[in-house]
Amino acid sequence: MVKRQAYQPILITDASRSQDDQLNSRQRRYVLMMGIRVLCIIVGAILVGANAPLLWLWLPLCGLGMVLIPWLAVLLANDRPPKEEHRLANRFHPRQQDTPPMSLTAEERPHKVIDVEP
């Protein structure tokens, strides 16, 4: 006799985000970060033009933003969510192996009874 495993439903909340959704999210993040970079360039130009106090402090901060933000934007835009087996949470709380819904074996399938009358 073959023992069947209990049926484990597949939850939609366990599904990963679609490729298009991930791409759109990364594109929005990239555009936002590049917008912040443009803002750093504009603020730096305004500070130099206005001969602002503490210019020695503000210009390196704007320059740092202009250099680091594009680098981070490209790294984050090319990043994708980690695969399920590489997630840190799974190392501490391993999930049960997702088994697909079990199908009936040949012995368990209902047989069509053909009633033949003589």
Side-chain angles (χ1 to χ4, degrees):
M1 179 174 193
V2 178
K3 276 186 124 177
R4 280 187 17 175
Q5 293 180 348
Y7 173 77
Q8 294 180 352
I10 298 172
L11 301 175
I12 190 68
T13 55
D14 290 342
S16 61
R17 292 172 46 197
S18 71
Q19 295 282 339
D20 291 335
D21 190 29
Q22 290 178 20
L23 179 64
N24 289 336
S25 173
R26 292 193 318 252
Q27 287 173 339
R28 281 191 302 268
R29 191 176 348 160
Y30 179 82
V31 169
L32 177 70
M33 291 180 81
M34 294 311 272
I36 293 171
R37 178 187 186 218
V38 169
L39 189 64
C40 284
I41 294 171
I42 292 171
V43 167
I46 290 172
L47 288 174
V48 169
N51 205 5
L54 298 175
L55 192 59
W56 59 270
L57 175 67
W58 295 114
L59 274 180
L61 288 176
C62 288
L64 195 63
M66 289 185 284
V67 171
L68 286 181
I69 289 176
W71 177 70
L72 287 172
V74 169
L75 283 178
L76 293 174
N78 290 325
D79 193 22
R80 60 169 182 65
K83 292 184 179 179
E84 193 65 32
E85 65 265 12
H86 297 298
R87 294 184 63 124
L88 186 59
N90 289 337
R91 296 191 191 267
F92 297 114
H93 303 290
R95 290 183 57 188
Q96 282 184 333
Q97 290 292 329
D98 288 337
T99 56
M102 301 297 292
S103 62
L104 297 176
T105 62
E107 294 84 28
E108 296 172 329
R109 287 192 192 117
H111 296 286
K112 189 174 185 181
V113 178
I114 301 174
D115 196 19
V116 180
E117 296 205 19

